Amino acid sequence: MAVYGIEQWISKEEGLNIQGFQINTTYEGSRVVGSVEPVIEGKKVVNWGFVYGLDAIKNDKTGITNEDLYIREDNEYIKAYESTPQGTLQEKYGKSDTAAYFARTMRFGKKNVTAFTSRYKVRAYALMEDGTYLYSDVAEYTVYDVADQLYQDSKFMTLDSHNYAYNTILKLVNPNYQELEYGWGSSLVKP
């Protein structure tokens, strides 16, 4: 569907996806992982990244919708970040052998209940060779929800990361959170 007045398109294309979410305990931030094919809808992709939106702080909605989530500068709750070479991943996080996998880590500002329970919307974007943009579906997350799923499913890659999630995020948000034994697993939460 077209977003009127600008050359932006919302796409449900399989070549542009949010693959999942992680908690990066080394950089102390949440990480979104995306993928983009080199050619989508017969056009070469020249650049890509993520568009983030702050959906709610505590229980206060900011008023943004999924349709608002595109590259723009007129909404204080929406921000786009172009992918960089440092954000390009060597690992394959999806089924495609031809896609570029990329990530962005957003560092935790304050480590408090509000920061860990604020709700975010995110979608991947691709800039096409003709100057138009394509967008993936929107995924939503909170840092707490990602940490909870990783913790419950034993998906943290190290014992230190497992303990960091429990002590820094989960127990802070929910003082009665049940501590679990550490186990090995995959580190990606699917949207």
Side-chain angles (χ1 to χ4, degrees):
M1 84 183 167
V3 178
Y4 297 101
I6 52 177
E7 297 224 21
Q8 308 265 346
W9 294 89
I10 306 300
S11 173
K12 305 282 187 194
E13 196 60 41
E14 288 298 314
L16 185 60
N17 293 296
I18 299 292
Q19 293 294 332
F21 307 96
Q22 297 174 318
I23 299 293
N24 185 320
T25 58
T26 303
Y27 293 109
E28 295 189 289
S30 61
R31 188 177 192 207
V32 178
V33 177
S35 64
V36 61
E37 292 292 341
V39 175
I40 302 174
E41 297 180 359
K43 299 177 200 170
K44 182 180 175 187
V45 175
V46 296
N47 214 328
W48 56 85
F50 295 110
V51 180
Y52 288 85
L54 179 57
D55 184 40
I57 303 167
K58 296 182 181 177
N59 289 323
D60 298 328
K61 301 281 279 174
T62 62
I64 66 168
T65 66
N66 290 355
E67 291 75 26
D68 294 328
L69 217 60
Y70 58 88
I71 295 176
R72 59 193 302 163
E73 294 182 14
D74 65 340
N75 190 311
E76 65 181 319
Y77 298 114
I78 298 172
K79 178 77 174 155
Y81 297 93
E82 183 178 306
S83 188
T84 65
Q86 294 85 359
T88 301
L89 306 173
Q90 301 304 313
E91 298 88 4
K92 182 178 158 187
Y93 284 90
K95 296 178 183 176
S96 175
D97 292 326
T98 57
Y101 294 92
F102 60 101
R104 177 140 194 116
T105 302
M106 303 297 273
R107 294 190 74 174
F108 304 142
K110 296 181 179 177
K111 295 178 198 154
N112 60 33
V113 173
T114 300
F116 294 144
T117 58
S118 291
R119 178 155 298 283
Y120 297 93
K121 294 176 179 280
V122 65
R123 69 175 2 148
Y125 77 83
L127 172 61
M128 311 310 290
E129 63 186 336
D130 65 358
T132 59
Y133 289 88
L134 296 178
Y135 295 91
S136 72
D137 285 337
V138 172
E140 296 184 12
Y141 71 99
T142 70
V143 170
Y144 177 84
D145 290 342
V146 173
D148 178 51
Q149 189 171 343
L150 288 169
Y151 190 82
Q152 291 294 323
D153 294 344
S154 296
K155 290 187 176 187
F156 281 103
M157 299 303 282
T158 67
L159 176 59
D160 287 343
S161 296
H162 176 84
N163 290 337
Y164 177 96
Y166 175 74
N167 291 311
T168 306
I169 302 169
L170 301 170
K171 194 166 74 170
L172 175 69
V173 173
N174 178 1
N176 297 320
Y177 197 93
Q178 181 66 42
E179 188 171 10
L180 300 175
E181 184 91 19
Y182 174 68
W184 289 95
S186 174
S187 66
L188 191 68
V189 172
K190 297 291 185 177

